[in-house]
Amino acid sequence: MFRINRLINQTRASLITSKQLLTHEHKLFPQHYAQKSSTRFLDIYQLGNKQAVEKERARLADEMNRGYFADVAELKKHGGKIATANKIIIPALAAVKFPDLDVSYSDRTTLKLPVCSSGDVANADKAAIPKVSLVCLTFRASSQAMVDSWSTPFFEAFSDSKNVHLYEVSFIDSWLLCRSPIKRILLKIMRKSKDAGENALQRQIVYSFGDHYYFRKELKILNLLTGYIFLLDKFGRIRWQGFGMATPEELSSLLSCTSLLLEGE
């Protein structure tokens, strides 16, 4: 009996000592235990986070190299005419597709641009896919007059065409204005698409909310104070582009390229 009690006491002492040693080691090396239990998870998380950090760092560096004052200086230099518009149509093999862009009408209905034959049928009936689309982009209100210099003559020239679409896209990137309650109120008071009346062509005024950095990168858009004009074919490819205020020669080029696309090149 004495031997049994002695064995039990020794076992208890060993268990207590082992527990104390483990507790002491855990206090001395707490990170060791955390790493043993979740090293794989942390490595995967840090890898993904590192990529996101590097991507954001590259973006910040890019945007710091090109700020508001650079846009203003450039605007004063050439009035928003970054380059002259295309004089001839861009060949189909050399044309690039216009990036996908989600936009909203003032009545809160949505659409995905470009509306083309390879697009989502839910967004546009196949019969309603235009042969030609003119997409006008404004990032600041100051460039609206530039867009009007293109869209108004274009509308007048092709007002009777059922195969032409005209979109004026305004970008809103303010964090506050992109919040759902503010966005709903804003859409109610924003410019609306005008009734086309007896005209087949309708000037569709739409809005894009949120960050547009990567969209701009695809189109190589730098200056946010000027207007950008893109003529798209039925496949959503960019076949002509213009910038800033339209000149008579550039308008003539736009109208002739549009007619060429309507005729099927």
Side-chain angles (χ1 to χ4, degrees), residues 36-89:
K36 282 180 66 177
S37 61
S38 59
T39 299
R40 183 178 176 84
F41 173 79
L42 286 174
D43 287 346
I44 294 173
Y45 171 78
Q46 289 171 355
L47 178 62
N49 190 53
K50 183 179 179 181
Q51 291 176 343
V53 168
E54 291 298 327
K55 190 175 182 180
E56 187 63 21
R57 185 178 296 168
R59 170 177 175 164
L60 289 174
D62 184 30
E63 292 187 326
M64 287 185 70
N65 289 333
R66 180 76 190 197
Y68 172 77
F69 293 106
D71 288 353
V72 171
E74 193 174 78
L75 193 67
K76 290 180 179 179
K77 183 178 180 180
H78 52 55
K81 184 62 70 179
I82 295 173
T84 56
N86 296 106
K87 294 182 178 180
I88 60 174
I89 197 167

Side-chain angles (χ1 to χ4, degrees), residues 104 108 139-141 170-190 207-212:
S104 300
R108 294 170 58 190
F139 295 90
R140 300 294 182 264
S170 296
F171 289 83
I172 301 170
D173 54 6
S174 167
W175 179 86
L176 178 61
L177 298 180
C178 292
R179 298 303 93 194
S180 293
I182 305 298
K183 179 180 175 180
R184 286 197 296 268
I185 296 172
L186 192 62
L187 285 172
K188 289 182 180 180
I189 62 176
M190 297 294 278
Y207 303 91
S208 176
F209 289 85
D211 180 62
H212 47 68

Side-chain angles (χ1 to χ4, degrees), residues 20-38:
Q20 288 174 343
L21 287 173
L22 285 171
T23 303
H24 181 63
E25 185 180 359
H26 180 72
K27 288 180 180 179
L28 289 176
F29 308 105
Q31 295 178 351
H32 171 72
Y33 286 90
Q35 289 175 352
K36 282 180 66 177
S37 61
S38 59

Side-chain angles (χ1 to χ4, degrees), residues 140-157:
R140 300 294 182 264
S142 58
S143 61
Q144 185 59 51
M146 300 179 190
V147 164
D148 291 341
S149 71
W150 298 96
S151 62
T152 300
F154 184 87
F155 178 83
E156 293 172 352

Side-chain angles (χ1 to χ4, degrees), residues 81 84-88 150 240 245-257:
K81 184 62 70 179
T84 56
N86 296 106
K87 294 182 178 180
I88 60 174
W150 298 96
W240 181 97
M245 294 291 293
T247 66
E249 294 78 12
E250 290 175 326
L251 277 174
S252 176
S253 173
L254 169 61
L255 300 182
S256 64
C257 288

